[in-house]
């Protein structure tokens, strides 16, 4: 039995500082999103994907208009209380020696990820447990959690502690014909909890396509092929660990991705 605890007060302070100035792309993005029909959170939840296949891309944030505009007729955008762009706050748990990160780095399947996710605009929080199976399917379980009390888990490593905070903005599109969900995450900010290291990635967008079955024909995948971008193994958690690390952890598996992100940040 492991008891996880989290004090969200520090995260609120970082959130306030981070959002004191909006991202330079925000106005353009909101203008383009006005051309989309909307779907509600209830409609989206009806097509929940707790067991899914996903495909990811790391892209320069300047491509966001180009990613959105071709899909105004085929996709709808999530809208809640008039908002179409949302703030996500994740706090990840790992052991003091970063066992879960090391498993990901070493390519181990049937691996776990534990995080607290808070949705700022809707004031809802969950503990999320994600499993990457040996069939490369992602399984996700969510437990409502307000962080005002410890939460007990029976099958987790008892050494788990909160170690990395991640804040970003998300757009969620939905294709009703293929039942695929496309999320676009940008304006990413990291804070390493044990060392107080902070890193911002304002020049990156991470696109993730999620479906209940293997992704076969997809307008977004075809768009990426035309633009000469290829699917990648992209973990916001592993990126954050690498960027905020003091050099004590290996990151050979992610060197190519980290170099790519560095090139995007130069433009």
């Amino acid at each position: 039995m492991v008891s996880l605890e989290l004090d969200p007060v520090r995260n609120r302070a970082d959130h306030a500082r981070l959002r004191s100035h909006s991202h330079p792309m925000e106005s353009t993005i909101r203008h383009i999103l006005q051309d989309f029909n909307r779907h509600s959170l209830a409609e989206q939840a009806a097509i929940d994907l707790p067991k899914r296949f996903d495909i990811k891309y790391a892209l320069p944030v300047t491509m966001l208009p180009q990613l959105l505009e071709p899909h105004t007729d085929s996709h709808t955008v999530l809208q809640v209380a008039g908002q179409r762009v949302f703030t996500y706050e994740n706090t990840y748990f790992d052991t003091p020696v970063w066992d879960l990160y090391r498993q990901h780095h070493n390519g181990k399947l049937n691996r776990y990820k534990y995080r607290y996710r808070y949705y700022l605009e809707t004031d809802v929080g969950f503990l999320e447990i994600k499993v990457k199976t040996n069939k490369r399917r992602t399984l996700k379980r969510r437990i409502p959690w307000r962080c005002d009390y410890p939460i007990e888990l029976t099958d987790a490593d008892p050494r788990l502690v909160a170690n990395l905070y991640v804040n970003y903005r998300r757009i969620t599109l939905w294709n009703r014909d293929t039942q695929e969900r496309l999320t676009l995450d940008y304006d990413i900010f990291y804070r390493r909890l044990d060392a107080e290291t902070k890193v911002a990635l304002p020049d990156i967008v991470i696109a993730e396509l999620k479906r209940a079955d293997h992704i076969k024909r997809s307008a977004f995948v075809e768009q990426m092929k035309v633009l000469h971008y290829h699917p990648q193994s992209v973990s916001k958690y592993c990126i954050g660990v690498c960027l905020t690390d003091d050099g004590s952890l290996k990151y050979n598996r992610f060197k190519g991705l980290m170099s790519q992100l560095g090139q995007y940040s130069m433009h």
Side-chain angles (χ1 to χ4, degrees), residues 87-100:
T87 304
Y88 281 51
E89 299 182 5
N90 291 344
T91 303
Y92 287 90
F93 296 84
D94 207 330
T95 69
V97 291
W98 304 89
D99 286 288
L100 302 187

Side-chain angles (χ1 to χ4, degrees), residues 82-114:
Q83 297 290 323
R84 295 189 171 194
V85 183
F86 302 94
T87 304
Y88 281 51
E89 299 182 5
N90 291 344
T91 303
Y92 287 90
F93 296 84
D94 207 330
T95 69
V97 291
W98 304 89
D99 286 288
L100 302 187
Y101 165 81
R102 294 174 191 272
Q103 289 176 8
H104 195 133
H105 178 273
N106 295 335
K108 182 181 183 302
L109 294 177
N110 290 325
R111 62 176 181 261
Y112 286 78
K113 189 177 290 178
Y114 299 86

Side-chain angles (χ1 to χ4, degrees), residues 37-267:
N37 291 323
R38 66 177 179 85
H39 68 265
S40 68
L41 194 58
E43 289 175 300
Q44 181 170 292
I47 314 293
D48 196 13
L49 300 173
K51 301 179 180 181
R52 69 186 189 225
F53 293 95
D54 47 50
I55 184 169
K56 299 179 182 179
Y57 302 85
L59 307 161
V61 75
T62 51
M63 287 187 62
L64 262 175
Q66 191 175 358
L67 300 179
L68 291 168
E69 288 170 340
H71 305 292
T72 54
D73 294 330
S74 57
H75 291 65
T76 55
V77 63
L78 175 63
Q79 177 174 308
V80 179
Q83 297 290 323
R84 295 189 171 194
V85 183
F86 302 94
T87 304
Y88 281 51
E89 299 182 5
N90 291 344
T91 303
Y92 287 90
F93 296 84
D94 207 330
T95 69
V97 291
W98 304 89
D99 286 288
L100 302 187
Y101 165 81
R102 294 174 191 272
Q103 289 176 8
H104 195 133
H105 178 273
N106 295 335
K108 182 181 183 302
L109 294 177
N110 290 325
R111 62 176 181 261
Y112 286 78
K113 189 177 290 178
Y114 299 86
R115 71 185 179 206
Y116 169 70
R117 170 168 285 180
Y118 177 70
Y119 301 85
L120 181 72
E121 285 77 12
T122 54
D123 189 29
V124 176
F126 296 90
L127 176 70
E128 297 187 339
I129 304 167
K130 295 180 68 176
V131 184
K132 192 74 169 183
T133 73
N134 56 10
K135 299 184 182 299
R136 301 194 179 277
R137 183 184 285 268
T138 300
L139 313 180
K140 185 167 75 171
R141 182 162 64 100
R142 309 172 87 201
I143 306 170
W145 190 25
R146 296 290 302 180
C147 295
D148 51 357
Y149 57 88
I151 190 167
E152 305 290 337
L153 296 177
T154 55
D155 298 324
D157 191 315
R159 298 172 297 161
L160 288 180
V161 292
N163 65 352
L164 186 72
Y165 168 69
V166 188
N167 182 306
Y168 53 90
R169 301 282 277 164
R170 170 170 286 187
I171 301 162
T172 300
L173 304 182
W174 177 28
N175 186 316
R176 293 173 183 267
D177 292 333
T178 61
Q179 295 300 333
E180 68 185 26
R181 190 181 306 163
L182 173 64
T183 58
L184 300 167
D185 298 339
Y186 69 98
D187 203 7
I188 305 169
F189 170 85
Y190 293 104
R191 177 164 60 84
R192 182 79 163 262
L193 301 183
D194 61 350
E196 293 302 311
T197 308
K198 300 176 184 180
V199 177
L201 287 180
D203 302 317
I204 308 300
V205 57
I206 296 177
E208 183 175 359
L209 195 65
K210 310 167 188 181
R211 278 175 59 161
D213 56 3
H214 282 290
I215 295 170
K216 298 175 182 177
R217 188 162 186 82
S218 162
F220 185 76
V221 172
E222 293 303 314
Q223 180 189 19
M224 290 294 95
K225 289 179 180 178
V226 170
L227 295 172
H228 305 291
Y229 287 96
H230 305 287
Q232 297 170 274
S233 176
V234 181
S235 162
K236 284 190 287 295
Y237 176 62
C238 291
I239 290 173
V241 173
C242 292
L243 287 174
T244 59
D245 188 53
D246 60 4
S248 60
L249 293 171
K250 291 195 304 182
Y251 70 100
N252 298 28
R253 183 183 181 90
F254 309 122
K255 278 186 176 179
L257 174 61
M258 301 307 294
S259 175
Q260 177 185 345
L261 298 183
Q263 292 174 9
Y264 293 162
S265 298
M266 293 169 60
H267 296 292

